[in-house]
């Protein structure tokens, strides 16, 4: 174990590999695996993660935006990269870097065909996204004829896959809704496939879809959060483990008397003698203000220390009155035991938000 001397996010590649192997064990041998590495691989560092995963049995990567895909290409990633939410202003660069766009509306579809034609592309691989109930991005079922008629007018693009995204794959109370999404995806993909006369790949499952809907894996699955160690359920959290541990240290300890206050706006007022530790991590590092004032906590020598007062930009103060510790001691903000999910819940949010928020100024350390 690495002993922190400053704030660091420690990434364990052995755990990443175990999570990947667990997820792979849930899919058929001939089902492809796409690793979602958008948002700096959910805060872990996309180029490091993708470079590591590229040597495992990964078929595809996905990012949200074109600049994320360019960073991967510049780091030597050669596998196909799906860009989930590209904007037309970046289509030329997308082609220059051999990234593959998700085309989700008539506007971006036509804009992409225009630019691909201008660049003298033929059969450029694209992925058509359908909305089956999330109502976020995607063509509707009744857009199929329009898409097919436009495709017949050009040879600049070729459909590599048809896909959709589930709205509530982790929520088994929404099973009927999810099954309905899967059904309408089947109808749409049959219609498109019959009309174009070749078979693009089909995919709809994210991590919870992989785990909860084995019948809907189709040709490929897309996993993000599961790789990083969150299964979105108590049961699955036993099968995957967080790859990231956020550590910091105690910068200074203050002893304060009853009636004194701690931090900005004097938000915390002590009711008795207290020992308070100041830690070098704040909202600019990704610990938002909503964790302040007793909601969030960190772990010091296995004991919970609640955050007192407001979260500052570069610091938090925690109550260590009953903890045997000294300046320089290591502090765990989240990790394998006190997970980001548990900490996120103290502020009514989810693991995804907390881990993707850890800012670039926090040094990443890799255990390989
Ligand atoms: C982010 C994203 C995923 C990954 O979802 P997880 O729940 O993290 O596995 C998959 N597909 C799409 C379209 C996404 O935007």
């Amino acid at each position: 174990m690495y002993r922190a001397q400053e704030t660091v996010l420690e990434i364990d590649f052995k755990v990443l590999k175990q999570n990947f192997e667990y997820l792979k064990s849930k899919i058929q041998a001939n089902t492809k695996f796409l690793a979602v590495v958008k948002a700096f691989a959910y805060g872990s560092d996309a180029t490091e993660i993708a470079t590591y995963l590229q040597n495992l049995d990964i078929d595809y990567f996905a990012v949200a935006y074109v600049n994320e895909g360019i960073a991967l290409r510049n780091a030597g990633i050669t596998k196909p990269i799906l860009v989930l939410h590209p904007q037309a202003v970046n289509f030329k660069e997308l082609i220059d870097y051999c990234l593959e766009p998700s085309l989700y509306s008539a506007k971006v579809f036509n804009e992409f065909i225009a630019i691909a034609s201008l660049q003298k592309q033929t059969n450029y691989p694209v992925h058509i996204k359908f909305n089956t109930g999330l109502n976020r991005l995607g063509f509707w079922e009744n857009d199929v004829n329009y898409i097919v008629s436009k495709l017949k007018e050009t040879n600049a693009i070729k459909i590599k896959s048809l896909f959709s995204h589930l709205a509530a794959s982790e929520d088994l109370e929404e099973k009927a809704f999810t099954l309905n999404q899967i059904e309408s995806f089947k109808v749409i993909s049959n219609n498109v496939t019959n009309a174009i006369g070749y078979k693009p790949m089909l995919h709809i499952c994210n991590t919870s879809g992989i785990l909860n809907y084995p019948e809907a894996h189709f040709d490929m699955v897309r996993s993000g959060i599961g790789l990083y160690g969150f299964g979105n359920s108590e049961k699955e959290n036993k099968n995957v483990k967080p790859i990231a541990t956020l550590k910091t240290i105690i910068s200074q300890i203050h002893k304060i008397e009853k009636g004194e206050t701690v931090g900005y706006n004097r938000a915390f007022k002590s009711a008795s003698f207290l020992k308070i530790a100041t830690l070098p991590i704040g909202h600019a590092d990704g610990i938002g203000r909503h964790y302040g004032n007793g909601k969030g906590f960190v772990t010091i020598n296995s004991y919970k220390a609640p955050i007192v007062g407001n979260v500052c930009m570069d610091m938090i103060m925690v109550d260590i009155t009953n903890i045997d510790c000294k300046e320089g001691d290591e502090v765990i903000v989240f990790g394998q035991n006190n997970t980001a999910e548990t900490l996120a819940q103290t502020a009514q949010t989810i693991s995804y938000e907390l881990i993707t928020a850890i800012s670039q100024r926090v040094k990443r350390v890799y255990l390989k």
Side-chain angles (χ1 to χ4, degrees):
M1 262 278 179
Y2 174 94
R3 193 126 203 111
Q5 295 176 283
E6 61 183 325
T7 303
V8 294
L9 187 70
E10 185 184 282
I11 310 293
D12 192 333
F13 284 89
K14 203 170 77 233
V15 179
L16 174 63
K17 183 160 187 256
Q18 286 163 2
N19 294 339
F20 170 65
E21 281 166 359
Y22 174 71
L23 293 163
K24 278 286 269 192
S25 78
K26 295 284 151 186
I27 66 175
Q28 301 287 321
N30 60 351
T31 304
K32 289 187 160 56
F33 193 101
L34 175 153
V36 180
V37 294
K38 63 192 180 192
F40 295 101
Y42 292 39
S44 301
D45 191 312
T47 59
E48 289 282 340
I49 296 284
T51 302
Y52 181 81
L53 288 176
Q54 184 160 249
N55 294 322
L56 305 181
D57 200 5
I58 289 272
D59 301 286
Y60 247 91
F61 288 108
V63 292
Y65 305 124
V66 171
N67 62 356
E68 297 179 302
I70 292 173
L72 292 184
R73 286 283 182 250
N74 287 337
I77 301 300
T78 53
K79 296 260 158 118
I81 300 173
L82 164 58
V83 182
L84 294 166
H85 195 178
Q87 301 296 340
V89 65
N90 302 314
F91 279 161
K92 184 177 174 300
E93 269 193 305
L94 178 146
I95 293 172
D96 289 343
Y97 284 86
C98 293
L99 307 171
E100 300 178 6
S102 155
L103 302 178
Y104 48 85
S105 69
K107 183 168 183 290
V108 296
F109 182 76
N110 290 321
E111 284 167 330
F112 190 76
I113 291 174
I115 291 174
S117 309
L118 210 63
Q119 301 288 312
K120 308 265 185 298
Q121 297 293 326
T122 51
N123 295 326
Y124 196 91
V126 304
H127 304 259
I128 307 291
K129 171 91 176 266
F130 284 94
N131 171 31
T132 52
L134 181 58
N135 291 330
R136 190 173 72 174
L137 283 185
F139 284 102
W140 290 68
E141 187 171 344
N142 57 14
D143 292 323
V144 169
N145 289 342
Y146 175 80
I147 296 168
V148 171
S149 69
K150 283 281 170 181
L151 275 175
K152 294 207 162 129
E153 296 166 7
T154 177
N155 63 355
I157 63 170
K158 180 158 188 187
I159 301 182
K160 189 138 168 213
S161 86
L162 304 172
F163 75 112
S164 187
H165 195 36
L166 297 172
S169 57
E170 72 287 357
D171 186 352
L172 293 177
E173 289 186 12
E174 293 291 357
K175 189 160 187 179
F177 184 87
T178 304
L179 292 175
N180 207 36
Q181 280 197 274
I182 294 166
E183 258 336 286
S184 66
F185 179 58
K186 280 187 192 161
V187 170
I188 293 167
S189 23
N190 273 336
N191 289 346
V192 177
T193 304
N194 290 337
I196 61 179
Y198 58 92
K199 262 177 131 47
M201 289 192 295
L202 309 181
H203 46 112
I204 194 169
C205 283
N206 65 340
T207 299
S208 293
I210 296 171
L211 301 171
N212 295 331
Y213 297 93
E215 71 277 23
H217 290 175
F218 296 100
D219 301 306
M220 183 158 79
V221 295
R222 310 185 300 267
S223 178
I225 201 78
L227 287 171
Y228 309 114
F230 299 90
N232 293 337
S233 75
E234 230 167 89
K235 171 171 163 262
E236 294 298 347
N237 282 342
K238 294 199 178 77
N239 296 319
V240 290
K241 290 267 167 298
I243 68 164
T245 302
L246 182 59
K247 296 176 171 180
T248 185
I249 62 166
I250 298 178
S251 290
Q252 191 176 15
I253 294 175
H254 292 291
K255 294 174 177 157
I256 65 163
E257 298 298 332
K258 176 178 172 178
E260 288 195 67
T261 62
V262 177
Y264 284 131
N265 313 109
R266 308 188 68 204
F268 176 81
K269 195 167 210 167
S270 79
S272 59
F273 169 83
L274 292 178
K275 263 192 334 177
I276 300 289
T278 302
L279 316 180
I281 184 166
H283 64 72
D285 302 288
I287 305 301
R289 280 173 57 91
H290 40 288
Y291 290 99
N293 297 305
K295 288 204 175 123
F297 63 88
V298 300
T299 307
I300 302 174
N301 297 332
S302 314
Y303 290 96
K304 271 188 184 184
I307 299 174
V308 296
N310 287 320
V311 171
C312 312
M313 188 183 296
D314 313 308
M315 283 166 259
I316 51 176
M317 279 71 88
V318 298
D319 181 356
I320 54 160
T321 307
N322 298 313
I323 304 176
D324 183 18
C325 58
K326 57 183 190 308
E327 291 174 355
D329 278 4
E330 187 175 82
V331 176
I332 306 293
V333 182
F334 60 69
Q336 301 224 330
N337 297 321
N338 303 289
T339 66
E341 185 157 306
T342 312
L343 180 55
Q345 278 163 3
T346 65
Q348 279 82 51
T349 181
I350 56 173
S351 61
Y352 293 76
E353 184 182 49
L354 178 55
I355 63 176
T356 58
I358 303 310
S359 70
Q360 294 299 299
R361 117 172 144 178
V362 175
K363 182 174 162 188
R364 269 66 174 167
V365 174
Y366 304 97
L367 305 181
K368 294 195 177 168

